[in-house]
Amino acid sequence: MSVRTLPLVFINLGGEMLYILDQRLQALNTSEDNSEKGVWSEYDRKRVMNDIVGTMFNKGFMDELLKPQQLYSHRTLKTVLTRLAHASIMRLNPASMDRLYELMIMAVKYQVFLCPRPRDLLLISYNHIDTIRELVKETPVAMNQVEEAHRKIVEVYSSLSEGEFQLLRQTLLIFLQDSHVRVSLFMKNKVQNPNGRFVLSTSGPVPHGVDIPGLIRTFDSKGKEVKQSEFPTGGSYTSSIREGSFELHGDRVIRLGLNMYTVNHPEETHTSKASSVKQTDDSPNLLAKEELNQLARLMGSMKADNTPKSEPNFRINLFTTDEEEEEARTAGGAEEPLFGVINIQAMQDEQVATELARIAGQFTEGEEPPDNPSSSSSSSNKGNDLLAMMDHL
């Protein structure tokens, strides 16, 4: 498993989250000012984007994220992204957050599937970063944060070998392999089957540096070509287009990772279950406690709610109607929740701390006491340390 996968997963999932939220906020933008309570204005939309991007690309957060480490579970990543989504005045209820996470996961899975070469995963990530930079172009502080984070990512990943990128891609595919949620946008464009699996094309340009298939060349013992023969490929392939730029700024060439949502198509954020995106292994995860503590380190510099207490929070709904939202919430209660997720209400830090205390307690229960007494004391304090960090967010 690659220890360089987590930063790219976070950047790509975070980018897709910003695309979806921006699309929904623009669709709900029916007022030019704050005169109507509960209506998202253009000012609100820009503020939400700036706050989330500022938290996402915080220097301390990115420094921790870029350290070599194993990829997190779906549950842990969803906790991070839920907290990130609530870094501004916006609030998502659990049903909307479930839908948002499904859309993010399926979009990234589609991009990984269609990525021409393992190294081109960087170009997909850079497309996300370039688009995020455009979203906050009117805010110099956020722009500088994105720029600095991009420089660090280029520095870390530019030295990786082709083999390391292949391992990174394999780690991503393992992480995404059980995700088969149907997305209306993909279904409409005929790139996803009714069973939730993607359709891979057998035509188009080949990856950069690859010959068009269909030709067999035979060489003798001296390396001289002695014969050529052709075979049917079953598809229509063309020569590769130029290679995309891996620099800080430039033409990435490939379109994967760009914003595929528009205000005029709110139905593109609709999902339906083919088979739930959930963990198939219900056995205890021995890394769960370490994941929570790493989560605390990553989130130590996040501002969970940087708005005055007197200022009201706004609620955003990823469903078309309140009735549809209620149906989703009811259906979710009748079946096993996705990923075995613990639903955390992010409206109040006290509620978050209480729920995390319970989770941390579950992780420590049943563990064998270590031989080292000092180690035992340190282990028992991990949950409290996590909550102490959360209280300062």
Side-chain angles (χ1 to χ4, degrees):
M1 301 288 282
S2 173
V3 295
R4 292 294 186 184
T5 310
L6 180 60
L8 297 190
V9 170
F10 180 77
I11 292 295
N12 292 328
L13 287 177
E16 291 299 322
M17 181 177 73
L18 286 167
Y19 296 167
I20 297 167
L21 294 179
D22 183 64
Q23 182 261 336
R24 293 306 298 154
L25 291 174
Q26 289 192 52
L28 296 171
N29 180 15
T30 58
S31 174
E32 290 299 326
D33 53 28
N34 292 317
S35 58
E36 297 182 43
K37 184 177 180 180
V39 176
W40 290 91
S41 67
E42 181 64 12
Y43 170 80
D44 292 328
R45 184 191 67 81
K46 291 180 180 179
R47 178 177 177 181
V48 169
M49 293 295 107
N50 291 334
D51 288 345
I52 294 179
V53 171
T55 303
M56 181 177 175
F57 290 96
N58 177 276
K59 182 181 183 300
F61 182 77
M62 292 304 301
D63 288 342
E64 288 289 341
L65 193 69
L66 288 169
K67 292 179 180 178
Q69 56 194 299
Q70 294 295 328
L71 181 59
Y72 292 170
S73 65
H74 280 286
R75 178 175 58 188
T76 307
L77 270 174
K78 186 177 179 184
T79 302
V80 175
L81 292 164
T82 300
R83 196 58 168 271
L84 180 63
H86 294 153
S88 184
I89 58 175
M90 179 191 65
R91 292 295 177 266
L92 291 167
N93 59 39
S96 289
M97 190 63 213
D98 286 344
R99 168 167 291 190
L100 178 61
Y101 189 72
E102 290 169 353
L103 287 167
M104 292 152 52
I105 285 291
M106 294 309 294
V108 171
K109 180 175 182 177
Y110 177 71
Q111 293 157 9
V112 173
F113 262 51
L114 268 63
C115 185
R117 304 174 302 171
R119 182 173 290 274
D120 291 337
L121 289 169
L122 277 184
L123 296 179
I124 296 175
S125 302
Y126 293 171
N127 272 339
H128 281 109
I129 295 175
D130 291 343
T131 309
I132 292 172
R133 187 187 289 114
E134 186 67 19
L135 285 174
V136 295
K137 62 183 179 181
E138 298 178 5
T139 309
V141 174
M143 277 277 291
N144 291 337
Q145 285 181 305
V146 176
E147 199 82 3
E148 181 60 28
H150 197 174
R151 286 195 185 93
K152 292 179 180 178
I153 291 172
V154 171
E155 180 181 342
V156 168
Y157 287 93
S158 59
S159 61
L160 266 59
S161 66
E162 295 298 331
E164 289 173 307
F165 275 111
Q166 177 59 34
L167 180 61
L168 193 155
R169 178 179 180 272
Q170 193 66 29
T171 304
L172 268 174
L173 290 174
I174 293 172
F175 174 72
L176 298 166
Q177 65 181 349
D178 295 325
S179 305
H180 304 298
V181 177
R182 292 177 294 185
V183 179
S184 62
L185 174 61
F186 294 144
M187 300 284 286
K188 183 175 64 177
N189 292 335
K190 302 186 185 302
V191 297
Q192 190 179 29
N193 290 321
N195 61 3
R197 300 180 185 274
F198 289 116
V199 178
L200 299 181
S201 175
T202 57
S203 61
V206 297
H208 181 78
V210 176
D211 294 330
I212 298 176
L215 179 65
I216 301 175
R217 296 186 293 172
T218 307
F219 298 84
D220 60 17
S221 59
K222 297 181 180 180
K224 182 180 179 181
E225 184 177 333
V226 295
K227 186 176 67 172
Q228 287 188 356
S229 60
E230 296 182 354
F231 66 92
T233 62
S236 176
Y237 298 97
T238 60
S239 299
S240 63
I241 52 181
R242 67 188 185 281
E243 187 176 28
S245 171
F246 288 89
E247 302 300 323
L248 197 62
H249 300 278
D251 185 3
R252 314 302 178 191
V253 178
I254 67 174
R255 308 290 295 173
L256 299 171
L258 297 178
N259 193 347
M260 61 182 179
Y261 302 100
T262 62
V263 177
N264 297 326
H265 297 87
E267 74 278 358
E268 293 171 355
T269 58
H270 286 189
T271 61
S272 59
K273 300 295 192 310
S275 60
S276 296
V277 190
K278 60 182 178 181
Q279 294 172 305
T280 58
D281 185 9
D282 293 329
S283 59
N285 184 357
L286 298 180
L287 297 177
K289 187 164 72 174
E290 182 58 33
E291 279 189 352
L292 263 187
N293 285 280
Q294 179 64 9
L295 169 62
R297 289 193 293 272
L298 284 176
M299 296 171 64
S301 57
M302 278 190 176
K303 291 184 178 180
D305 193 345
N306 52 11
T307 61
K309 293 186 179 298
S310 60
E311 184 173 356
N313 291 319
F314 289 85
R315 172 178 172 271
I316 184 173
N317 186 3
L318 292 185
F319 296 85
T320 306
T321 63
D322 290 339
E323 290 75 12
E324 184 181 350
E325 175 190 348
E326 185 61 32
E327 289 177 5
R329 186 185 297 113
T330 304
E335 60 184 14
E336 183 182 359
L338 296 180
F339 323 114
V341 173
I342 304 298
N343 288 327
I344 300 176
Q345 292 288 345
M347 293 296 292
Q348 298 180 4
D349 287 341
E350 183 179 353
Q351 294 175 356
V352 176
T354 302
E355 186 65 16
L356 284 171
R358 188 180 66 79
I359 296 171
Q362 291 177 348
F363 290 150
T364 55
E365 286 176 2
E367 286 191 344
E368 294 295 329
D371 296 332
N372 188 342
S374 62
S375 175
S376 175
S377 176
S378 174
S379 176
S380 64
N381 289 330
K382 282 187 176 181
N384 292 332
D385 292 342
L386 173 63
L387 293 179
M389 290 183 182
M390 291 294 182
D391 287 341
H392 287 87
L393 297 181

